[in-house]
């Protein structure tokens, strides 16, 4: 594979190369890449939503097994997911990328191909960015704008006693995909080949892991190429359901439902036997001696939607494809409970994002 | 000084701690920190502007001599500068911060105190963000939203033949401030104390450099605590001048005027004897055996405004405080020229941002 040094293009050359022939799909994009700021036309009666995510090598991704195109796709999609979680529509992104010398122009083409593919799939425009050198690994910062009618916006603080608690898709699969990748990485002995003292792993596009992933492709896809649940937002809209509270599940169901309960000043009861779990995830958890319920509750990066809705919407919810009622909202004094298969009550534990405790070095 | 480990708060605790009691000054900020996305009300007839900047330790700043509060202030202000350079008003920012373990809660308080101070000074709301662990140094990503009436927006591509080329303030001072800081850092021997193999320098709030900065305070301020030229935007507005093209000078005048000329398909003539240079900068350049004109043309980070305006506005421009006419726009075939003191013509060289070539390791 050809390797073109980024130095041969320089910053402006690289930006031009990566943003050349950008298509703008949103009529609101009046000016995209190429000036001090992008210019966006506001539609009457519509609010602007804005969310940002920072992805750092060695913390959020490991380039030993994450292809750059997938990484770009995922970096964009996780931002779209935040906008959908407000019941909005993502419209524009700006992208900041910090690149160390071990990356080539071809690497950046891959990364941006993924970002552009995600934009294409979701009808979003890339309207600006900042590309710079990095002393260490790869840094990706994406900020996403979106729109929503004021009356459509769903916050985290609107859950009411007796509301249904619903999730889309299944939970824990992205986490099990990560466990699978990590297991294979170690099995391949790559862990021992990484240079000591180097905080981030070395990206080597030549090295290809071809391990025993057969029958586990779905888990890999959930980890490497997650999708934002635009389809669920559309289905809810078409069914005439406006959730009372909503967020996306990036840190695990336990952590997220506790956010909703805290902000809404309510409690909840989540039923273990209602948790949607994919059979591949369950089988791998069994094989790896992991508790699949814990993985489902605390494994992150599913990017499914968690929402509450009024009990009167029950009949409308049931027929919705890929939406599952997992519990209900209670008075705050009941706490945030997991109800086991035998009716036993346990306090939900929000492990959530604990990188400061366990991942840093 | 007390040191509280970030692990003792966790991610959510840290975010809560840093964004507690945030004030929102913009009536358009409907929802700030605390949900999947911030919600912003759009005013009728007004466009949204969006710009983003990524600041990486070891590339954009050196914590050996940049106090974290100043760094936070600067990180915010450079984004405001981009919005003013569109002839707009900055309104909201979202902030992404990657933090390695050597930083304490107190360090982050300092950083955010600087960001909040900048927001206060410029009337901007911090409405969201993302805080995460970093394996290496400090990463700061800021995206700024702003507003402008469509008819007020000034792009880079509107310069016309015979337009005046103007700059605000003076140029090269921030660069000379950096030279001064670097010289003192080396003189203090700190360079030799940094652990080998560590790509970024170690931040030590205990170490204080007290070097011979007397009489050079202005240069330090230009480097460490730049301001965005809101005053110039207001002065132009009050004088009834709408520039034909405008941008802020972050990479040096040569590089920026070439952007305007390329995008506007024009040439320019810049007069060496018209370049605004501060006497402290000139004196230090002399002392350090640097060519002050080169520093003025290619030294970055001044965050002054570069704009072109119609020759008919000449009478209105002249009385404006801190605005200097440095040249004029020519036909494209004349190229981008620097006219020396003796009338000699030289092609402008855009060194601009060359970090990929010289700074990376």
């Amino acid at each position: 594979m050809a390797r073109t040094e980024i130095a041969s293009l320089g910053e402006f050359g690289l930006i031009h190369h990566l943003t050349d022939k950008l298509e703008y799909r949103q009529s609101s994009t009046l000016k995209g890449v190429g000036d001090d700021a992008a210019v966006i036309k506001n539609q009457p009666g519509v609010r602007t939503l804005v969310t940002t995510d920072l992805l750092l090598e060695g913390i959020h991704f490991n380039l030993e097994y994450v292809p750059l195109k997938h990484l770009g796709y995922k970096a964009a999609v996780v931002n779209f997911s935040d906008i959908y979680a407000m019941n909005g529509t993502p419209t524009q992104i700006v992208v900041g990328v910090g690149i160390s010398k071990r990356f080539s122009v071809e690497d950046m083409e891959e990364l941006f191909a993924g970002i552009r593919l995600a934009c294409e799939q979701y009808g979003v425009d890339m309207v600006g960015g900042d590309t710079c050198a990095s002393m260490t690994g790869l840094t990706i910062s994406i900020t996403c704008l979106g729109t929503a009618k004021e009356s459509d916006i769903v916050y985290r603080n609107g859950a009411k006693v007796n509301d249904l608690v619903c999730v889309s898709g299944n939970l824990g699969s992205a986490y099990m995909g990560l466990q699978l990748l990590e297991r294979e990485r170690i099995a391949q002995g790559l862990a021992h080949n990484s240079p000591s003292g180097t905080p981030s792993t070395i990206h080597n596009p030549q090295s290809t892991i071809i391990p025993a992933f057969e029958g586990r492709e779905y888990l890999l896809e959930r980890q490497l190429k997650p999708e934002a649940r635009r389809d669920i937002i559309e289905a809810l809209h078409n069914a005439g359901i406006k959730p009372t509270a909503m967020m996306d599940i990036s840190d695990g169901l336990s952590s997220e439902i506790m956010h909703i309960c805290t902000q809404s000043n309510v409690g909840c009861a989540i039923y273990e036997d209602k948790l949607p779990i994919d059979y591949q995830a369950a089988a791998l958890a069994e094989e790896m001696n992991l508790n699949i319920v814990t993985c489902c509750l605390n494994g992150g990066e599913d990017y499914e939607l968690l929402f509450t809705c009024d009990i009167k919407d029950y009949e409308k919810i049931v027929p919705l494809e890929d939406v599952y009622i997992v519990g209900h909202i209670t008075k705050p004094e009941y706490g945030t409970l997991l109800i086991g298969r035998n009716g036993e009550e346990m306090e939900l534990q929000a492990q959530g994002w604990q990188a400061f405790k366990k991942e840093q070095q």
Side-chain angles (χ1 to χ4, degrees), chain A residues 175 250-259 290-291 293-300 347-359:
Chain A
Y175 181 78
S250 53
D251 291 334
L253 176 61
S254 287
S255 172
E256 316 298 22
I257 189 68
M258 289 171 76
H259 280 299
L290 294 169
N291 181 333
V293 174
T294 304
C295 297
C296 173
L297 290 170
N298 295 309
E347 274 289 332
L348 282 171
Q349 302 291 325
Q351 294 187 331
W353 188 90
Q354 296 280 323
F356 279 112
K357 287 184 186 157
K358 65 182 184 198
E359 285 182 30

Side-chain angles (χ1 to χ4, degrees), chain A residues 108-171:
Chain A
M108 290 304 102
E109 284 170 358
E110 282 295 297
L111 180 73
F112 276 79
I115 296 172
R116 289 166 81 146
L117 179 62
C119 285
E120 195 181 306
Q121 298 281 333
Y122 289 87
V124 172
D125 291 345
M126 184 167 84
V127 296
D130 188 20
T131 306
C132 62
S134 154
M135 294 301 277
T136 50
L138 180 63
T139 299
I140 307 171
S141 162
I142 297 191
T143 299
C144 184
L145 301 188
T147 57
K149 282 192 220 165
E150 173 63 28
S151 57
D152 284 344
I153 299 177
V154 178
Y155 296 92
R156 296 177 178 177
N157 63 3
K160 309 178 313 298
V161 174
N162 294 329
D163 278 359
L164 303 170
V165 177
C166 307
V167 299
S168 65
N170 60 65
L171 301 177

Side-chain angles (χ1 to χ4, degrees), chain A residues 158-353:
Chain A
K160 309 178 313 298
V161 174
N162 294 329
D163 278 359
L164 303 170
V165 177
C166 307
V167 299
S168 65
N170 60 65
L171 301 177
S173 295
Y175 181 78
M176 291 316 300
L178 182 63
Q179 299 312 307
L180 185 60
L181 287 163
E182 276 291 332
R183 186 176 73 171
E184 294 300 320
R185 182 180 69 87
I186 292 162
Q188 299 275 327
L190 283 177
H192 304 291
N193 293 336
S194 70
S196 64
T198 309
S200 52
T201 56
I202 298 298
H203 172 59
N204 179 3
Q206 311 301 332
S207 85
T208 44
I209 312 176
I210 311 169
F213 287 154
E214 215 176 287
R216 267 59 191 269
E217 294 83 358
Y218 174 71
L219 302 180
L220 297 182
E221 193 176 318
R222 287 300 301 266
Q223 171 57 226
L224 294 175
K225 192 168 175 288
E227 298 291 346
R229 296 311 301 260
R230 170 174 54 176
D231 57 336
I232 300 293
I233 295 299
E234 287 169 357
L236 289 170
H237 183 80
N238 293 339
I241 300 164
K242 183 186 170 187
T244 51
M246 183 157 59
M247 62 188 296
D248 70 335
I249 304 178
S250 53
D251 291 334
L253 176 61
S254 287
S255 172
E256 316 298 22
I257 189 68
M258 289 171 76
H259 280 299
I260 284 181
C261 288
T262 302
Q263 292 202 24
S264 301
N265 191 29
V266 294
C268 71
I270 303 294
Y271 293 85
E272 185 184 332
D273 63 351
K274 302 291 185 191
L275 294 173
I277 293 168
D278 178 78
Y279 72 92
Q280 284 189 14
L284 182 62
E286 179 74 19
E287 185 184 314
M288 294 182 79
N289 211 15
L290 294 169
N291 181 333
I292 186 63
V293 174
T294 304
C295 297
C296 173
L297 290 170
N298 295 309
E301 301 200 286
D302 284 315
Y303 301 104
E304 296 293 344
L305 290 170
L306 164 67
F307 61 93
T308 58
C309 65
D310 197 287
I311 187 83
K312 76 172 165 44
D313 287 329
Y314 177 81
E315 299 292 339
K316 295 179 190 166
I317 286 284
V318 170
L320 290 184
E321 208 175 327
D322 222 16
V323 170
Y324 305 93
I325 300 171
V326 297
H328 59 265
I329 295 295
T330 62
K331 290 182 183 169
E333 52 267 36
Y334 291 109
T336 52
L337 298 178
L338 178 70
I339 315 296
R341 288 181 186 272
N342 302 316
E344 70 278 23
E345 294 183 354
M346 296 155 273
E347 274 289 332
L348 282 171
Q349 302 291 325
Q351 294 187 331
W353 188 90

Side-chain angles (χ1 to χ4, degrees), chain A residues 57-67 182 185 201-202:
Chain A
E57 186 174 352
I59 300 287
H60 301 97
F61 55 89
N62 184 335
L63 291 175
E64 281 183 81
Y65 51 72
V66 178
E182 276 291 332
R185 182 180 69 87
T201 56
I202 298 298

